Amino acid sequence: MRSSGHSSRPNMALRHALRLAAAVGRRGCCSQHPLPPGLLQALRSVAGDPNVSVAEAVRQQHGHDESMHRCAPPDAVVWPQDVEQLQEMVALCHRHRVPMVPFGTGTGLEGGVNAVQGGVCFDLSHMATISELSVEDFSVAVEPGVTRKALNAHLRGTGLWFPVDPGADASLCGMAATGASGTNAVRYGTMRPNVLNLRVVLSDGSLLHTAGPGRSARKSAAGYDLTSLFVGSEGTLGFLTQATLRLHPLPEAVVSAACTFPSVRDAVGCTVQVLQAAVPVARIELLDEVMAGACSRYSRLELPEVAMLFLELHGSQRGLAEQQQQAEELVQLHGGSVLSWAQAPEERERLWAARHSAWFAALALRPGCQGYSTDVCVPISRLPDIVVETQRDLRDSNLTGPMVGHVGDGNFHCILVFRADDPEEAQRVHDFTERLGRRALAAGGTCTGEHGVGLGKRVLLREERGAVGLAAMRRIKDALDPLHLMNPGKVL
């Protein structure tokens, strides 16, 4: 039932809205928890005084990500310089029964770094080694301080690249921890198939190589798939301290296009047919009418305020001409048109920069307000109906929520822009996100395609996986982290 602002609404709902507003409102810090005597000095003896901090500003900086969950600072922040230091400090926290939270670049969207039980935050940004690059084997190993852009800059001149692109210049180990994807996933896959091995520090300080030390085989049928277990575990099973990644050859030729459509249904219908026709798209991104206008104004592009697809083709010079013609025919079949094809790198970069700035373009629609991004993913066949139903729900709920998405793999986002200090609007946002999550589940989809569960989607996770599935996850957690010290309060 749609929420309303009428005074007849039950007081319980109003209280819930007030709690929601507090949870997603202005960031503030809770009080510091006392650490066990001697622990701080022991941490300093391992990492050195400059690499251990209890300063309030530092703690606050490490108590939140880009989400709207209230800041929950750790009691101390440490910067290990290598994996051996990290192991020693984790073992110390384990001995003292102190919670531990990993921190990469802080670009997450579900409160994954918030220290809801206090404890020690491990900022892994100083561990930034790139090693074991094999051009012949298409693989490389990176530590948590290495970001996506830094790796691709390092690979320049090799003819290889790492294509998983969530938009933000995130830590690659953090991307593995959340199971990230992005605009290129329709062709190159998400993080999960692109991680070959992980070096993990477990809760007692022991070191695990999920595929075995030094191994980077493209496939393996040896035992349980521990690598996939830790991809998407959000720091709740151990700290990812190195990821061996699958690299890809740079395409010979790349061409991008912006396509307009009469409606969102037409744009999504075209996406489905492009995939069914096996057009080898590398990216195919949806912008609804509101988002197209917002991105046009924010990025100073001359785009019409209509439903749009941004698409990109990768291949050979000869093959691209045929692919362009096939894509244009499918666009026209759904009442659309291709504005232009962009082959020059600067033109393509301008188009995709506008797409990657969608979050800020949405926030600019209501200056002074805050944002929250939904993250459902559904089977491709159900996508047109789900997108249209969601647009209708946004209108009926009187919410600002421009839509953007990686529709090539069924994943789309509503960027909800709202006043968190308005309990009635905050309640409408809460009700909408729950309806959307359950709409995706009813369609055979998931409540989160790439952002992770974190703090905000734990109830929907229970509905998605069921009692038996959740019990199995709890048993895995109990086996690997029996004291529940690793990023507590997240996922489960």
Side-chain angles (χ1 to χ4, degrees), residues 127-152:
M127 296 172 60
T129 300
I130 301 174
S131 61
E132 302 174 30
L133 172 61
S134 174
V135 175
E136 295 83 2
D137 294 325
F138 298 87
S139 64
V140 69
V142 297
E143 288 190 325
V146 180
T147 65
R148 174 182 61 84
K149 289 181 180 178
L151 174 60
N152 281 326

Side-chain angles (χ1 to χ4, degrees), residues 268-286:
V268 177
C270 178
T271 300
V272 174
Q273 198 153 1
V274 163
L275 297 174
Q276 290 173 339
V279 179
V281 288
R283 311 193 215 193
I284 185 162
E285 297 285 304
L286 170 72

Side-chain angles (χ1 to χ4, degrees), residues 292-365:
C295 286
S296 180
R297 289 187 294 273
Y298 185 82
S299 298
R300 298 181 180 178
L301 296 176
E302 295 181 0
L303 298 175
E305 293 192 30
V306 296
M308 301 192 74
L309 288 178
F310 287 1
L311 61 85
E312 186 166 276
L313 305 173
H314 293 180
S316 65
Q317 290 285 3
R318 181 182 299 177
L320 279 188
E322 181 181 342
Q323 294 167 21
Q324 285 177 248
Q325 181 180 351
Q326 191 177 9
E328 282 200 42
E329 289 172 357
L330 292 171
V331 168
Q332 292 166 5
L333 188 65
H334 289 81
S337 62
V338 177
L339 293 181
S340 63
W341 289 99
Q343 194 157 9
E346 58 273 11
E347 292 178 22
R348 290 188 285 104
E349 287 168 9
R350 192 161 176 245
L351 183 68
W352 291 109
R355 165 60 186 91
H356 285 319
S357 296
W359 171 264
F360 303 104
L363 293 180
L365 293 172

Side-chain angles (χ1 to χ4, degrees), residues 359-416:
W359 171 264
F360 303 104
L363 293 180
L365 293 172
R366 295 182 66 185
C369 289
Q370 296 172 346
Y372 176 76
S373 176
T374 64
D375 183 40
V376 298
C377 184
V378 299
I380 296 293
S381 63
R382 301 299 306 274
L383 190 60
D385 289 338
I386 294 293
V387 167
V388 171
E389 289 170 24
T390 300
Q391 273 202 316
R392 186 183 306 119
D393 195 356
L394 280 167
R395 288 192 297 268
D396 292 346
S397 302
N398 193 27
L399 291 172
T400 301
M403 190 181 295
V404 66
H406 321 304
V407 286
D409 51 18
N411 185 202
F412 69 93
H413 314 293
C414 297
I415 302 178
L416 299 161

Side-chain angles (χ1 to χ4, degrees), residues 455-476:
L455 291 171
K457 294 189 170 72
R458 290 174 294 176
V459 171
L460 287 170
L461 177 68
R462 289 198 291 271
E463 296 179 22
E464 180 172 331
R465 295 302 178 90
V468 175
L470 208 67
M473 291 186 199
R474 291 190 187 281
R475 285 194 289 270
I476 293 170

